[in-house]
Amino acid sequence: DQQVKQNSPSLSVQEGRISILNCDYTNSMFDYFLWYKKYPAEGPTFLISISSIKDKNEDGRFTVFLNKSAKHLSLHIVPSQPGDSAVYFCAASGGDSNYQLIWGAGTKLIIKP
Amino acid sequence: NAGVTQTPKFQVLKTGQSMTLQCAQDMNHEYMSWYRQDPGMGLRLIHYSVGAGITDQGEVPNGYNVSRSTTEDFPLRLLSAAPSQTSVYFCASSPGGGRAPGELFFGEGSRLTVL
């Protein structure tokens, strides 16, 4: 049973517009969430994180929103740039997964010029 | 500034062969882990270690062994390779020191094919 779900395998966005990537989770014990970005033939790199005591965290063009009641988080990228084209993974930890991150399947973001 | 180094980058094995994927980090991180990534799936944790001499199983540990004799190194051993172990393997480390691994630093990956 997938505890972290990214239901959109891919997303295409015009350069300069907002990109919104979504992630849902089922385990209410998760209390720490992260977003990673992955280019082909490279390892994932950390992008931004959020603790369950917050509902928003911002870092430059990247903002993560957490809705605990809906068990939903989203990553907003504004404005989207060509270099943002990559696969984005959300991951979660907490509860029984104290030392483990549980990952979503990823969303491939394509930024169109 | 090496970070996390994985070797080899590519490997082809025959069913039943054994091999070791090497992982080394130079950041003095306590936490190290091995993931596999398969098409259409997220990364799945194989084994992890919270410090030298300490290892534990992740989500998909069967068919893999690990050891952590030093802070720097965390090799992953496949004792008898099977086609189901065809995957891309990532090693990752984190400063740790807390309950959650937090931000992970990844190697570039090792692509393994088992025929």
Side-chain angles (χ1 to χ4, degrees), chain A residues 31-32 34 36 38 41-44 46 89 93-94 98-101 103-105, chain B residues 31 35 37 40-43 45 48 50 90 98-104 106-107:
Chain A
D31 59 5
Y32 188 60
L34 307 92
Y36 284 80
K38 185 183 181 302
E42 294 184 9
F46 171 76
F89 292 97
S93 70
N98 276 353
Y99 287 105
Q100 306 183 31
L101 287 181
W103 295 71
Chain B
Y31 181 95
Y35 286 89
Q37 186 191 13
M41 303 184 74
L43 280 72
L45 183 65
Y48 66 97
V50 297
F90 290 99
R99 180 177 57 82
E103 176 187 346
L104 291 170
F106 282 85

PDB file of all heavy atoms in Angstrom, chain A residues 31-32 34 36 38 41-44 46 89 93-94 98-101 103-105, chain B residues 31 35 37 40-43 45 48 50 90 98-104 106-107:
ATOM      1  N   ASP A  31       5.319  13.361  10.033  1.00  0.00           N
ATOM      2  CA  ASP A  31       5.401  14.713  10.562  1.00  0.00           C
ATOM      3  C   ASP A  31       6.522  15.545   9.936  1.00  0.00           C
ATOM      4  O   ASP A  31       6.815  16.645  10.398  1.00  0.00           O
ATOM      5  CB  ASP A  31       5.558  14.696  12.079  1.00  0.00           C
ATOM      6  CG  ASP A  31       6.799  13.933  12.533  1.00  0.00           C
ATOM      7  OD1 ASP A  31       7.588  13.505  11.669  1.00  0.00           O
ATOM      8  OD2 ASP A  31       6.968  13.760  13.753  1.00  0.00           O
ATOM      9  N   TYR A  32       7.138  15.010   8.896  1.00  0.00           N
ATOM     10  CA  TYR A  32       8.204  15.757   8.240  1.00  0.00           C
ATOM     11  C   TYR A  32       8.180  15.372   6.777  1.00  0.00           C
ATOM     12  O   TYR A  32       8.152  14.177   6.446  1.00  0.00           O
ATOM     13  CB  TYR A  32       9.548  15.408   8.878  1.00  0.00           C
ATOM     14  CG  TYR A  32      10.708  16.257   8.416  1.00  0.00           C
ATOM     15  CD1 TYR A  32      10.719  17.629   8.594  1.00  0.00           C
ATOM     16  CD2 TYR A  32      11.818  15.670   7.825  1.00  0.00           C
ATOM     17  CE1 TYR A  32      11.781  18.402   8.175  1.00  0.00           C
ATOM     18  CE2 TYR A  32      12.889  16.436   7.409  1.00  0.00           C
ATOM     19  CZ  TYR A  32      12.865  17.800   7.587  1.00  0.00           C
ATOM     20  OH  TYR A  32      13.926  18.566   7.185  1.00  0.00           O
ATOM     21  N   LEU A  34       9.545  16.255   2.643  1.00  0.00           N
ATOM     22  CA  LEU A  34      10.622  16.834   1.847  1.00  0.00           C
ATOM     23  C   LEU A  34      10.291  16.711   0.370  1.00  0.00           C
ATOM     24  O   LEU A  34       9.607  15.782  -0.058  1.00  0.00           O
ATOM     25  CB  LEU A  34      11.946  16.114   2.110  1.00  0.00           C
ATOM     26  CG  LEU A  34      12.424  15.980   3.560  1.00  0.00           C
ATOM     27  CD1 LEU A  34      11.935  14.675   4.176  1.00  0.00           C
ATOM     28  CD2 LEU A  34      13.940  16.037   3.627  1.00  0.00           C
ATOM     29  N   TYR A  36      12.364  16.548  -3.365  1.00  0.00           N
ATOM     30  CA  TYR A  36      13.639  16.366  -4.029  1.00  0.00           C
ATOM     31  C   TYR A  36      13.427  16.531  -5.529  1.00  0.00           C
ATOM     32  O   TYR A  36      12.362  16.253  -6.070  1.00  0.00           O
ATOM     33  CB  TYR A  36      14.208  14.966  -3.763  1.00  0.00           C
ATOM     34  CG  TYR A  36      14.810  14.788  -2.397  1.00  0.00           C
ATOM     35  CD1 TYR A  36      13.999  14.560  -1.286  1.00  0.00           C
ATOM     36  CD2 TYR A  36      16.181  14.852  -2.204  1.00  0.00           C
ATOM     37  CE1 TYR A  36      14.541  14.407  -0.027  1.00  0.00           C
ATOM     38  CE2 TYR A  36      16.734  14.699  -0.950  1.00  0.00           C
ATOM     39  CZ  TYR A  36      15.908  14.478   0.128  1.00  0.00           C
ATOM     40  OH  TYR A  36      16.452  14.323   1.379  1.00  0.00           O
ATOM     41  N   LYS A  38      15.210  15.591  -9.340  1.00  0.00           N
ATOM     42  CA  LYS A  38      16.154  14.648  -9.936  1.00  0.00           C
ATOM     43  C   LYS A  38      16.266  14.882 -11.440  1.00  0.00           C
ATOM     44  O   LYS A  38      15.270  14.828 -12.168  1.00  0.00           O
ATOM     45  CB  LYS A  38      15.713  13.207  -9.661  1.00  0.00           C
ATOM     46  CG  LYS A  38      16.728  12.181 -10.160  1.00  0.00           C
ATOM     47  CD  LYS A  38      16.239  10.781  -9.955  1.00  0.00           C
ATOM     48  CE  LYS A  38      17.291   9.786 -10.452  1.00  0.00           C
ATOM     49  NZ  LYS A  38      17.636   9.963 -11.856  1.00  0.00           N
ATOM     50  N   ALA A  41      20.228  10.594 -14.942  1.00  0.00           N
ATOM     51  CA  ALA A  41      21.578  10.107 -14.678  1.00  0.00           C
ATOM     52  C   ALA A  41      22.251  10.793 -13.489  1.00  0.00           C
ATOM     53  O   ALA A  41      23.484  10.789 -13.385  1.00  0.00           O
ATOM     54  CB  ALA A  41      22.467  10.250 -15.922  1.00  0.00           C
ATOM     55  N   GLU A  42      21.458  11.391 -12.628  1.00  0.00           N
ATOM     56  CA  GLU A  42      22.004  11.982 -11.407  1.00  0.00           C
ATOM     57  C   GLU A  42      21.190  11.494 -10.214  1.00  0.00           C
ATOM     58  O   GLU A  42      20.064  11.008 -10.359  1.00  0.00           O
ATOM     59  CB  GLU A  42      21.942  13.506 -11.456  1.00  0.00           C
ATOM     60  CG  GLU A  42      22.824  14.136 -12.504  1.00  0.00           C
ATOM     61  CD  GLU A  42      22.792  15.655 -12.433  1.00  0.00           C
ATOM     62  OE1 GLU A  42      22.218  16.204 -11.470  1.00  0.00           O
ATOM     63  OE2 GLU A  42      23.348  16.291 -13.346  1.00  0.00           O
ATOM     64  N   GLY A  43      21.764  11.643  -9.018  1.00  0.00           N
ATOM     65  CA  GLY A  43      20.999  11.345  -7.822  1.00  0.00           C
ATOM     66  C   GLY A  43      20.062  12.482  -7.493  1.00  0.00           C
ATOM     67  O   GLY A  43      20.257  13.609  -7.934  1.00  0.00           O
ATOM     68  N   PRO A  44      19.016  12.200  -6.715  1.00  0.00           N
ATOM     69  CA  PRO A  44      18.106  13.279  -6.293  1.00  0.00           C
ATOM     70  C   PRO A  44      18.855  14.316  -5.467  1.00  0.00           C
ATOM     71  O   PRO A  44      19.814  13.990  -4.765  1.00  0.00           O
ATOM     72  CB  PRO A  44      17.065  12.544  -5.438  1.00  0.00           C
ATOM     73  CG  PRO A  44      17.150  11.122  -5.851  1.00  0.00           C
ATOM     74  CD  PRO A  44      18.581  10.896  -6.225  1.00  0.00           C
ATOM     75  N   PHE A  46      18.123  17.571  -2.671  1.00  0.00           N
ATOM     76  CA  PHE A  46      17.134  18.154  -1.767  1.00  0.00           C
ATOM     77  C   PHE A  46      16.708  19.531  -2.245  1.00  0.00           C
ATOM     78  O   PHE A  46      17.528  20.334  -2.690  1.00  0.00           O
ATOM     79  CB  PHE A  46      17.745  18.250  -0.365  1.00  0.00           C
ATOM     80  CG  PHE A  46      16.909  19.023   0.606  1.00  0.00           C
ATOM     81  CD1 PHE A  46      15.773  18.461   1.154  1.00  0.00           C
ATOM     82  CD2 PHE A  46      17.259  20.311   0.968  1.00  0.00           C
ATOM     83  CE1 PHE A  46      15.004  19.171   2.052  1.00  0.00           C
ATOM     84  CE2 PHE A  46      16.499  21.029   1.869  1.00  0.00           C
ATOM     85  CZ  PHE A  46      15.370  20.459   2.406  1.00  0.00           C
ATOM     86  N   PHE A  89      10.226  14.447  -6.543  1.00  0.00           N
ATOM     87  CA  PHE A  89       9.741  13.439  -5.607  1.00  0.00           C
ATOM     88  C   PHE A  89       9.361  14.106  -4.292  1.00  0.00           C
ATOM     89  O   PHE A  89      10.088  14.966  -3.796  1.00  0.00           O
ATOM     90  CB  PHE A  89      10.839  12.408  -5.306  1.00  0.00           C
ATOM     91  CG  PHE A  89      11.214  11.536  -6.460  1.00  0.00           C
ATOM     92  CD1 PHE A  89      12.307  11.843  -7.253  1.00  0.00           C
ATOM     93  CD2 PHE A  89      10.495  10.383  -6.729  1.00  0.00           C
ATOM     94  CE1 PHE A  89      12.674  11.028  -8.304  1.00  0.00           C
ATOM     95  CE2 PHE A  89      10.853   9.557  -7.791  1.00  0.00           C
ATOM     96  CZ  PHE A  89      11.944   9.886  -8.573  1.00  0.00           C
ATOM     97  N   SER A  93       8.482  11.288   6.522  1.00  0.00           N
ATOM     98  CA  SER A  93       8.989  10.454   7.616  1.00  0.00           C
ATOM     99  C   SER A  93       8.163  10.718   8.872  1.00  0.00           C
ATOM    100  O   SER A  93       7.455  11.716   8.979  1.00  0.00           O
ATOM    101  CB  SER A  93      10.463  10.720   7.890  1.00  0.00           C
ATOM    102  OG  SER A  93      10.645  11.999   8.468  1.00  0.00           O
ATOM    103  N   GLY A  94       8.284   9.789   9.835  1.00  0.00           N
ATOM    104  CA  GLY A  94       7.564   9.935  11.092  1.00  0.00           C
ATOM    105  C   GLY A  94       6.906   8.629  11.473  1.00  0.00           C
ATOM    106  O   GLY A  94       6.849   7.679  10.687  1.00  0.00           O
ATOM    107  N   ASN A  98      10.696   6.249  11.537  1.00  0.00           N
ATOM    108  CA  ASN A  98      11.535   7.251  12.173  1.00  0.00           C
ATOM    109  C   ASN A  98      12.837   7.503  11.439  1.00  0.00           C
ATOM    110  O   ASN A  98      13.276   8.636  11.300  1.00  0.00           O
ATOM    111  CB  ASN A  98      11.851   6.839  13.609  1.00  0.00           C
ATOM    112  CG  ASN A  98      10.743   7.247  14.555  1.00  0.00           C
ATOM    113  OD1 ASN A  98       9.817   7.931  14.163  1.00  0.00           O
ATOM    114  ND2 ASN A  98      10.834   6.831  15.787  1.00  0.00           N
ATOM    115  N   TYR A  99      13.484   6.449  10.996  1.00  0.00           N
ATOM    116  CA  TYR A  99      14.763   6.610  10.324  1.00  0.00           C
ATOM    117  C   TYR A  99      14.655   6.383   8.828  1.00  0.00           C
ATOM    118  O   TYR A  99      15.651   6.225   8.154  1.00  0.00           O
ATOM    119  CB  TYR A  99      15.796   5.643  10.911  1.00  0.00           C
ATOM    120  CG  TYR A  99      16.253   6.054  12.283  1.00  0.00           C
ATOM    121  CD1 TYR A  99      15.811   5.397  13.408  1.00  0.00           C
ATOM    122  CD2 TYR A  99      17.127   7.122  12.446  1.00  0.00           C
ATOM    123  CE1 TYR A  99      16.227   5.779  14.664  1.00  0.00           C
ATOM    124  CE2 TYR A  99      17.548   7.516  13.700  1.00  0.00           C
ATOM    125  CZ  TYR A  99      17.088   6.834  14.806  1.00  0.00           C
ATOM    126  OH  TYR A  99      17.509   7.218  16.049  1.00  0.00           O
ATOM    127  N   GLN A 100      13.447   6.364   8.322  1.00  0.00           N
ATOM    128  CA  GLN A 100      13.261   6.079   6.918  1.00  0.00           C
ATOM    129  C   GLN A 100      12.445   7.173   6.265  1.00  0.00           C
ATOM    130  O   GLN A 100      11.585   7.781   6.891  1.00  0.00           O
ATOM    131  CB  GLN A 100      12.520   4.745   6.746  1.00  0.00           C
ATOM    132  CG  GLN A 100      13.162   3.575   7.448  1.00  0.00           C
ATOM    133  CD  GLN A 100      12.427   2.285   7.193  1.00  0.00           C
ATOM    134  OE1 GLN A 100      11.831   2.101   6.133  1.00  0.00           O
ATOM    135  NE2 GLN A 100      12.467   1.384   8.138  1.00  0.00           N
ATOM    136  N   LEU A 101      12.741   7.405   5.010  1.00  0.00           N
ATOM    137  CA  LEU A 101      11.907   8.274   4.207  1.00  0.00           C
ATOM    138  C   LEU A 101      11.053   7.389   3.305  1.00  0.00           C
ATOM    139  O   LEU A 101      11.564   6.455   2.694  1.00  0.00           O
ATOM    140  CB  LEU A 101      12.740   9.218   3.350  1.00  0.00           C
ATOM    141  CG  LEU A 101      13.448  10.375   4.062  1.00  0.00           C
ATOM    142  CD1 LEU A 101      14.202  11.227   3.042  1.00  0.00           C
ATOM    143  CD2 LEU A 101      12.469  11.228   4.833  1.00  0.00           C
ATOM    144  N   TRP A 103       8.810   7.410  -0.070  1.00  0.00           N
ATOM    145  CA  TRP A 103       8.843   8.254  -1.260  1.00  0.00           C
ATOM    146  C   TRP A 103       7.619   8.045  -2.141  1.00  0.00           C
ATOM    147  O   TRP A 103       7.100   6.937  -2.257  1.00  0.00           O
ATOM    148  CB  TRP A 103      10.086   7.922  -2.089  1.00  0.00           C
ATOM    149  CG  TRP A 103      11.361   8.245  -1.406  1.00  0.00           C
ATOM    150  CD1 TRP A 103      11.902   7.596  -0.329  1.00  0.00           C
ATOM    151  CD2 TRP A 103      12.274   9.298  -1.730  1.00  0.00           C
ATOM    152  NE1 TRP A 103      13.098   8.178   0.021  1.00  0.00           N
ATOM    153  CE2 TRP A 103      13.342   9.226  -0.818  1.00  0.00           C
ATOM    154  CE3 TRP A 103      12.289  10.281  -2.714  1.00  0.00           C
ATOM    155  CZ2 TRP A 103      14.422  10.114  -0.862  1.00  0.00           C
ATOM    156  CZ3 TRP A 103      13.362  11.168  -2.765  1.00  0.00           C
ATOM    157  CH2 TRP A 103      14.407  11.071  -1.841  1.00  0.00           C
ATOM    158  N   GLY A 104       7.208   9.124  -2.783  1.00  0.00           N
ATOM    159  CA  GLY A 104       6.243   9.024  -3.857  1.00  0.00           C
ATOM    160  C   GLY A 104       6.936   8.572  -5.139  1.00  0.00           C
ATOM    161  O   GLY A 104       8.161   8.503  -5.200  1.00  0.00           O
ATOM    162  N   ALA A 105       6.126   8.283  -6.175  1.00  0.00           N
ATOM    163  CA  ALA A 105       6.658   7.752  -7.434  1.00  0.00           C
ATOM    164  C   ALA A 105       7.262   8.830  -8.318  1.00  0.00           C
ATOM    165  O   ALA A 105       7.921   8.517  -9.302  1.00  0.00           O
ATOM    166  CB  ALA A 105       5.573   7.005  -8.190  1.00  0.00           C
TER     167      ALA A 105
ATOM    168  N   TYR B  31      24.423   9.032   9.279  1.00  0.00           N
ATOM    169  CA  TYR B  31      23.371   8.226   8.647  1.00  0.00           C
ATOM    170  C   TYR B  31      23.760   7.929   7.205  1.00  0.00           C
ATOM    171  O   TYR B  31      24.124   8.820   6.436  1.00  0.00           O
ATOM    172  CB  TYR B  31      22.056   8.993   8.696  1.00  0.00           C
ATOM    173  CG  TYR B  31      20.869   8.278   8.107  1.00  0.00           C
ATOM    174  CD1 TYR B  31      20.006   7.532   8.899  1.00  0.00           C
ATOM    175  CD2 TYR B  31      20.582   8.374   6.745  1.00  0.00           C
ATOM    176  CE1 TYR B  31      18.903   6.882   8.365  1.00  0.00           C
ATOM    177  CE2 TYR B  31      19.486   7.727   6.197  1.00  0.00           C
ATOM    178  CZ  TYR B  31      18.648   6.988   7.015  1.00  0.00           C
ATOM    179  OH  TYR B  31      17.552   6.348   6.477  1.00  0.00           O
ATOM    180  N   TYR B  35      19.089   2.867  -1.493  1.00  0.00           N
ATOM    181  CA  TYR B  35      17.776   2.830  -2.109  1.00  0.00           C
ATOM    182  C   TYR B  35      17.883   2.154  -3.467  1.00  0.00           C
ATOM    183  O   TYR B  35      18.931   2.157  -4.102  1.00  0.00           O
ATOM    184  CB  TYR B  35      17.239   4.249  -2.340  1.00  0.00           C
ATOM    185  CG  TYR B  35      16.764   4.965  -1.102  1.00  0.00           C
ATOM    186  CD1 TYR B  35      17.636   5.728  -0.344  1.00  0.00           C
ATOM    187  CD2 TYR B  35      15.428   4.907  -0.719  1.00  0.00           C
ATOM    188  CE1 TYR B  35      17.192   6.406   0.780  1.00  0.00           C
ATOM    189  CE2 TYR B  35      14.976   5.584   0.402  1.00  0.00           C
ATOM    190  CZ  TYR B  35      15.867   6.327   1.144  1.00  0.00           C
ATOM    191  OH  TYR B  35      15.425   7.004   2.251  1.00  0.00           O
ATOM    192  N   GLN B  37      15.682   2.300  -7.225  1.00  0.00           N
ATOM    193  CA  GLN B  37      14.636   2.995  -7.956  1.00  0.00           C
ATOM    194  C   GLN B  37      14.252   2.176  -9.166  1.00  0.00           C
ATOM    195  O   GLN B  37      15.106   1.873 -10.011  1.00  0.00           O
ATOM    196  CB  GLN B  37      15.080   4.387  -8.401  1.00  0.00           C
ATOM    197  CG  GLN B  37      13.927   5.164  -9.038  1.00  0.00           C
ATOM    198  CD  GLN B  37      14.338   6.435  -9.726  1.00  0.00           C
ATOM    199  OE1 GLN B  37      15.521   6.684  -9.961  1.00  0.00           O
ATOM    200  NE2 GLN B  37      13.373   7.260 -10.068  1.00  0.00           N
ATOM    201  N   GLY B  40       8.429   3.834 -12.580  1.00  0.00           N
ATOM    202  CA  GLY B  40       7.073   4.028 -12.087  1.00  0.00           C
ATOM    203  C   GLY B  40       6.925   3.926 -10.582  1.00  0.00           C
ATOM    204  O   GLY B  40       5.804   3.981 -10.057  1.00  0.00           O
ATOM    205  N   MET B  41       8.041   3.793  -9.902  1.00  0.00           N
ATOM    206  CA  MET B  41       7.986   3.676  -8.446  1.00  0.00           C
ATOM    207  C   MET B  41       8.918   4.700  -7.817  1.00  0.00           C
ATOM    208  O   MET B  41       9.886   5.146  -8.432  1.00  0.00           O
ATOM    209  CB  MET B  41       8.396   2.270  -8.004  1.00  0.00           C
ATOM    210  CG  MET B  41       7.558   1.175  -8.626  1.00  0.00           C
ATOM    211  SD  MET B  41       7.985  -0.438  -8.001  1.00  0.00           S
ATOM    212  CE  MET B  41       7.265  -0.356  -6.377  1.00  0.00           C
ATOM    213  N   GLY B  42       8.597   5.042  -6.589  1.00  0.00           N
ATOM    214  CA  GLY B  42       9.506   5.907  -5.847  1.00  0.00           C
ATOM    215  C   GLY B  42      10.715   5.134  -5.390  1.00  0.00           C
ATOM    216  O   GLY B  42      10.838   3.930  -5.608  1.00  0.00           O
ATOM    217  N   LEU B  43      11.621   5.838  -4.745  1.00  0.00           N
ATOM    218  CA  LEU B  43      12.787   5.167  -4.180  1.00  0.00           C
ATOM    219  C   LEU B  43      12.338   4.292  -3.009  1.00  0.00           C
ATOM    220  O   LEU B  43      11.513   4.705  -2.188  1.00  0.00           O
ATOM    221  CB  LEU B  43      13.808   6.197  -3.685  1.00  0.00           C
ATOM    222  CG  LEU B  43      14.706   6.816  -4.747  1.00  0.00           C
ATOM    223  CD1 LEU B  43      13.943   7.792  -5.631  1.00  0.00           C
ATOM    224  CD2 LEU B  43      15.891   7.513  -4.099  1.00  0.00           C
ATOM    225  N   LEU B  45      13.699   1.988   0.250  1.00  0.00           N
ATOM    226  CA  LEU B  45      14.839   1.825   1.135  1.00  0.00           C
ATOM    227  C   LEU B  45      15.180   0.353   1.293  1.00  0.00           C
ATOM    228  O   LEU B  45      14.324  -0.479   1.615  1.00  0.00           O
ATOM    229  CB  LEU B  45      14.516   2.450   2.492  1.00  0.00           C
ATOM    230  CG  LEU B  45      15.620   2.431   3.534  1.00  0.00           C
ATOM    231  CD1 LEU B  45      16.800   3.300   3.084  1.00  0.00           C
ATOM    232  CD2 LEU B  45      15.095   2.935   4.871  1.00  0.00           C
ATOM    233  N   TYR B  48      19.723   0.661   5.977  1.00  0.00           N
ATOM    234  CA  TYR B  48      20.266   1.925   6.427  1.00  0.00           C
ATOM    235  C   TYR B  48      21.136   1.711   7.669  1.00  0.00           C
ATOM    236  O   TYR B  48      21.100   0.640   8.293  1.00  0.00           O
ATOM    237  CB  TYR B  48      19.163   2.952   6.701  1.00  0.00           C
ATOM    238  CG  TYR B  48      18.249   2.610   7.865  1.00  0.00           C
ATOM    239  CD1 TYR B  48      18.471   3.147   9.125  1.00  0.00           C
ATOM    240  CD2 TYR B  48      17.143   1.783   7.678  1.00  0.00           C
ATOM    241  CE1 TYR B  48      17.622   2.848  10.179  1.00  0.00           C
ATOM    242  CE2 TYR B  48      16.299   1.486   8.720  1.00  0.00           C
ATOM    243  CZ  TYR B  48      16.536   2.025   9.972  1.00  0.00           C
ATOM    244  OH  TYR B  48      15.684   1.722  11.018  1.00  0.00           O
ATOM    245  N   VAL B  50      22.669   4.058  11.145  1.00  0.00           N
ATOM    246  CA  VAL B  50      22.665   5.321  11.881  1.00  0.00           C
ATOM    247  C   VAL B  50      24.031   5.617  12.496  1.00  0.00           C
ATOM    248  O   VAL B  50      24.197   6.609  13.206  1.00  0.00           O
ATOM    249  CB  VAL B  50      21.556   5.361  12.955  1.00  0.00           C
ATOM    250  CG1 VAL B  50      20.189   5.259  12.303  1.00  0.00           C
ATOM    251  CG2 VAL B  50      21.751   4.273  13.988  1.00  0.00           C
ATOM    252  N   PHE B  90      20.861   3.770  -5.401  1.00  0.00           N
ATOM    253  CA  PHE B  90      21.388   5.034  -4.900  1.00  0.00           C
ATOM    254  C   PHE B  90      21.820   4.875  -3.456  1.00  0.00           C
ATOM    255  O   PHE B  90      21.092   4.313  -2.626  1.00  0.00           O
ATOM    256  CB  PHE B  90      20.334   6.146  -4.971  1.00  0.00           C
ATOM    257  CG  PHE B  90      20.010   6.589  -6.354  1.00  0.00           C
ATOM    258  CD1 PHE B  90      18.879   6.123  -7.002  1.00  0.00           C
ATOM    259  CD2 PHE B  90      20.842   7.483  -7.022  1.00  0.00           C
ATOM    260  CE1 PHE B  90      18.568   6.533  -8.288  1.00  0.00           C
ATOM    261  CE2 PHE B  90      20.549   7.903  -8.311  1.00  0.00           C
ATOM    262  CZ  PHE B  90      19.419   7.421  -8.952  1.00  0.00           C
ATOM    263  N   GLY B  98      19.347  13.012  14.619  1.00  0.00           N
ATOM    264  CA  GLY B  98      17.976  13.238  15.044  1.00  0.00           C
ATOM    265  C   GLY B  98      17.128  12.034  14.718  1.00  0.00           C
ATOM    266  O   GLY B  98      17.607  11.027  14.224  1.00  0.00           O
ATOM    267  N   ARG B  99      15.870  12.154  14.947  1.00  0.00           N
ATOM    268  CA  ARG B  99      14.977  11.019  14.737  1.00  0.00           C
ATOM    269  C   ARG B  99      14.808  10.719  13.263  1.00  0.00           C
ATOM    270  O   ARG B  99      14.789   9.569  12.853  1.00  0.00           O
ATOM    271  CB  ARG B  99      13.621  11.314  15.375  1.00  0.00           C
ATOM    272  CG  ARG B  99      12.620  10.212  15.218  1.00  0.00           C
ATOM    273  CD  ARG B  99      11.334  10.582  15.948  1.00  0.00           C
ATOM    274  NE  ARG B  99      10.788  11.839  15.465  1.00  0.00           N
ATOM    275  CZ  ARG B  99      10.058  11.944  14.371  1.00  0.00           C
ATOM    276  NH1 ARG B  99       9.819  10.902  13.632  1.00  0.00           N
ATOM    277  NH2 ARG B  99       9.584  13.122  13.995  1.00  0.00           N
ATOM    278  N   ALA B 100      14.688  11.744  12.453  1.00  0.00           N
ATOM    279  CA  ALA B 100      14.463  11.536  11.019  1.00  0.00           C
ATOM    280  C   ALA B 100      15.781  11.768  10.273  1.00  0.00           C
ATOM    281  O   ALA B 100      16.593  12.571  10.713  1.00  0.00           O
ATOM    282  CB  ALA B 100      13.400  12.489  10.515  1.00  0.00           C
ATOM    283  N   PRO B 101      15.954  11.099   9.136  1.00  0.00           N
ATOM    284  CA  PRO B 101      17.191  11.316   8.385  1.00  0.00           C
ATOM    285  C   PRO B 101      17.284  12.716   7.808  1.00  0.00           C
ATOM    286  O   PRO B 101      18.366  13.189   7.522  1.00  0.00           O
ATOM    287  CB  PRO B 101      17.139  10.253   7.283  1.00  0.00           C
ATOM    288  CG  PRO B 101      15.708   9.908   7.149  1.00  0.00           C
ATOM    289  CD  PRO B 101      15.118  10.070   8.503  1.00  0.00           C
ATOM    290  N   GLY B 102      16.147  13.377   7.652  1.00  0.00           N
ATOM    291  CA  GLY B 102      16.213  14.742   7.148  1.00  0.00           C
ATOM    292  C   GLY B 102      16.736  14.790   5.737  1.00  0.00           C
ATOM    293  O   GLY B 102      16.511  13.902   4.933  1.00  0.00           O
ATOM    294  N   GLU B 103      17.465  15.866   5.439  1.00  0.00           N
ATOM    295  CA  GLU B 103      17.975  16.064   4.097  1.00  0.00           C
ATOM    296  C   GLU B 103      19.029  15.011   3.783  1.00  0.00           C
ATOM    297  O   GLU B 103      19.998  14.833   4.523  1.00  0.00           O
ATOM    298  CB  GLU B 103      18.597  17.451   3.981  1.00  0.00           C
ATOM    299  CG  GLU B 103      19.238  17.724   2.635  1.00  0.00           C
ATOM    300  CD  GLU B 103      19.989  19.036   2.600  1.00  0.00           C
ATOM    301  OE1 GLU B 103      19.790  19.854   3.525  1.00  0.00           O
ATOM    302  OE2 GLU B 103      20.769  19.246   1.660  1.00  0.00           O
ATOM    303  N   LEU B 104      18.816  14.321   2.677  1.00  0.00           N
ATOM    304  CA  LEU B 104      19.739  13.291   2.230  1.00  0.00           C
ATOM    305  C   LEU B 104      20.611  13.815   1.094  1.00  0.00           C
ATOM    306  O   LEU B 104      20.147  14.571   0.242  1.00  0.00           O
ATOM    307  CB  LEU B 104      18.985  12.060   1.741  1.00  0.00           C
ATOM    308  CG  LEU B 104      18.248  11.231   2.792  1.00  0.00           C
ATOM    309  CD1 LEU B 104      17.361  10.201   2.115  1.00  0.00           C
ATOM    310  CD2 LEU B 104      19.228  10.554   3.719  1.00  0.00           C
ATOM    311  N   PHE B 106      22.758  12.423  -2.039  1.00  0.00           N
ATOM    312  CA  PHE B 106      22.785  11.209  -2.842  1.00  0.00           C
ATOM    313  C   PHE B 106      24.036  11.112  -3.696  1.00  0.00           C
ATOM    314  O   PHE B 106      24.590  12.117  -4.156  1.00  0.00           O
ATOM    315  CB  PHE B 106      21.574  11.166  -3.773  1.00  0.00           C
ATOM    316  CG  PHE B 106      20.300  10.747  -3.097  1.00  0.00           C
ATOM    317  CD1 PHE B 106      19.526  11.675  -2.433  1.00  0.00           C
ATOM    318  CD2 PHE B 106      19.888   9.423  -3.125  1.00  0.00           C
ATOM    319  CE1 PHE B 106      18.341  11.294  -1.805  1.00  0.00           C
ATOM    320  CE2 PHE B 106      18.714   9.037  -2.509  1.00  0.00           C
ATOM    321  CZ  PHE B 106      17.942   9.973  -1.848  1.00  0.00           C
ATOM    322  N   GLY B 107      24.435   9.860  -3.945  1.00  0.00           N
ATOM    323  CA  GLY B 107      25.410   9.596  -4.986  1.00  0.00           C
ATOM    324  C   GLY B 107      24.740   9.636  -6.345  1.00  0.00           C
ATOM    325  O   GLY B 107      23.528   9.831  -6.453  1.00  0.00           O
TER     326      GLY B 107
END
